[in-house]
Amino acid sequence: MDLTDLGFFRAEGTSLVPTELAQSMWSPQQMHGVALSGALARGLDQHLADLGRTDLRPARYTVDRFRGASKEACDITAEVVREGRRPRPPDPVLP
């Protein structure tokens, strides 16, 4: 077995395509929370790298789920909510 078969997602261009390991126990059309959290963390890390913010290393973050995430290809976006004296990492969003 190839180790790439053990991931929650496979990358296709800029999109993340969920594998069977990302499937929720509640519905085969939804992703479970660990996979969703991993995708958001990856998006956050990528956005910080794109901004050249090597001074920021998120140690923890919170995920608010308002509904189940569908198990389909997704692109994670991120935006800086507030800039100031203290570093504020961007908020990643799964549209």
Side-chain angles (χ1 to χ4, degrees):
M1 176 182 285
D2 185 2
L3 289 180
T4 58
D5 295 334
L6 298 176
F8 292 130
F9 299 92
R10 71 176 187 282
E12 287 187 7
T14 61
S15 297
L16 294 177
V17 178
T19 66
E20 291 303 311
L21 291 175
Q23 181 175 307
S24 168
M25 293 185 298
W26 302 106
S27 170
Q29 288 84 30
Q30 292 182 343
M31 288 188 279
H32 60 73
V34 175
L36 175 61
S37 179
L40 292 170
R42 181 183 189 272
L44 176 61
D45 285 344
Q46 183 63 49
H47 186 71
L48 290 173
D50 292 346
L51 292 174
R53 294 297 303 264
T54 58
D55 59 323
L56 292 178
R57 293 283 177 226
R60 63 180 174 262
Y61 67 102
T62 303
V63 175
D64 292 324
R65 292 181 62 180
F66 299 107
R67 59 183 165 88
S70 62
K71 197 178 132 220
E72 54 191 43
C74 56
D75 290 299
I76 307 298
T77 61
E79 65 178 285
V80 176
V81 176
R82 174 178 45 91
E83 282 286 349
R85 291 183 324 134
R86 295 176 54 190
R88 167 80 176 163
D91 285 339
V93 176
L94 174 69

